[in-house]
Amino acid sequence: MSVPERRKALITGASRGIGRAIAKMLASAGCDLYMTCHKNIAMLERLAEELRKRYRIKCYCYVFSICDEDKVIEMYHDIPYLDILVNNAGISYIGLLTDMTYQQWQEVIDTNLNACFLTCRYAVPKMVMRHQGKIINISSVWGTVGASMEVAYSASKGGINAFTRALAKELAPSNIQVNAVACGMIDTDMNKCFDEEEIKILIQEIPADRVGHPEEVAELVKLLCTGNEYLTGQIITLDGGWT
């Protein structure tokens, strides 16, 4: 009797925070993983070893700038087929637009939006070949409502939302679903820039009266990776009722 193929998932920005939680969640579901990060090779490899031992899966690590097309192509050469792509890698810049350099603007747009184009560009043919696939983009509420002092980040996430809706329409005939999770305030290193008092003020505006946990994002991503083939092109907000 033939052994069924394991599902294979690619997760960008997997060394910490939301990406790390998603990697653990998909590993627990029996997926083989391809994980990327920009710099934290030791952290990523420790995670991979933990997941291999605990879930008996295959786990591959890649450390490079997710905006580097040559490196992305090289990574995809290692992936025979792909069932799930989670575009999670992202950075932010907090400050006045007039204090931001063009290089800083480009870095945010490249990492948050252009990298999403690259990973999808080379994932889609592998999914179309099998007439199935799930693409989940990690977005933000700021992509919908915009955030003062985070213009580049808001613009990049707004772009992700439009990208998600458009690509979902393009790929629906091929039975590939594309959705996004628009996160509110999640307890990750990206929010370490806020002090305790600022966090308290922000929480006062959240009906759930707390910040979200990376594991809650991971649970929603796992749900989007299930067999529902009619749910596509959606920006699903996860923000404790804030918007």
Side-chain angles (χ1 to χ4, degrees), residues 11-51:
I11 306 160
T12 67
S15 64
R16 57 183 182 170
I18 291 172
R20 184 182 184 87
I22 292 170
K24 289 183 175 182
M25 188 67 67
L26 294 184
S28 72
C31 296
D32 287 335
L33 302 182
Y34 298 83
M35 307 188 299
T36 80
C37 74
H38 189 193
K39 296 177 180 177
N40 295 318
I41 179 61
M43 190 179 298
L44 190 65
E45 288 185 340
R46 283 197 300 271
L47 173 63
E49 187 59 26
E50 173 191 336
L51 298 179

Side-chain angles (χ1 to χ4, degrees), residues 11-180:
I11 306 160
T12 67
S15 64
R16 57 183 182 170
I18 291 172
R20 184 182 184 87
I22 292 170
K24 289 183 175 182
M25 188 67 67
L26 294 184
S28 72
C31 296
D32 287 335
L33 302 182
Y34 298 83
M35 307 188 299
T36 80
C37 74
H38 189 193
K39 296 177 180 177
N40 295 318
I41 179 61
M43 190 179 298
L44 190 65
E45 288 185 340
R46 283 197 300 271
L47 173 63
E49 187 59 26
E50 173 191 336
L51 298 179
R52 290 186 196 109
K53 288 179 179 178
R54 180 175 298 180
Y55 300 110
R56 305 296 180 184
I57 62 164
K58 293 179 180 179
C59 206
Y60 306 91
C61 298
Y62 300 86
V63 182
F64 60 88
S65 168
I66 198 64
C67 316
D68 186 330
E69 184 174 15
D70 290 338
K71 293 292 186 182
V72 171
I73 292 172
E74 186 179 328
M75 174 182 65
Y76 272 103
H77 285 159
D78 295 341
I79 305 175
Y81 62 90
L82 192 65
D83 299 285
I84 299 164
L85 168 61
V86 182
N87 285 305
N88 168 73
I91 59 173
S92 183
Y93 173 93
I94 297 178
L96 293 170
L97 179 70
T98 49
D99 290 337
M100 189 178 200
T101 67
Y102 185 48
Q103 182 179 352
Q104 290 169 325
W105 170 274
Q106 285 183 307
E107 186 177 8
V108 172
I109 299 299
D110 277 346
T111 305
N112 296 0
L113 181 56
N114 293 342
C116 187
F117 159 76
L118 283 177
T119 55
C120 289
R121 167 66 181 81
Y122 295 102
V124 166
K126 293 180 181 292
M127 292 181 173
V128 168
M129 182 174 59
R130 290 160 57 87
H131 202 69
Q132 64 180 29
K134 307 286 186 181
I135 298 173
I136 298 99
N137 301 318
I138 303 303
S139 186
S140 168
V141 292
W142 297 141
T144 303
V145 301
S148 174
M149 307 286 282
E150 292 190 68
V151 174
Y153 183 78
S154 300
S156 69
K157 294 302 184 179
I160 286 290
N161 293 349
F163 180 97
T164 297
R165 294 187 183 100
L167 188 61
K169 292 178 180 179
E170 188 171 313
L171 297 180
S174 298
N175 192 36
I176 298 166
Q177 292 77 51
V178 188
N179 293 290

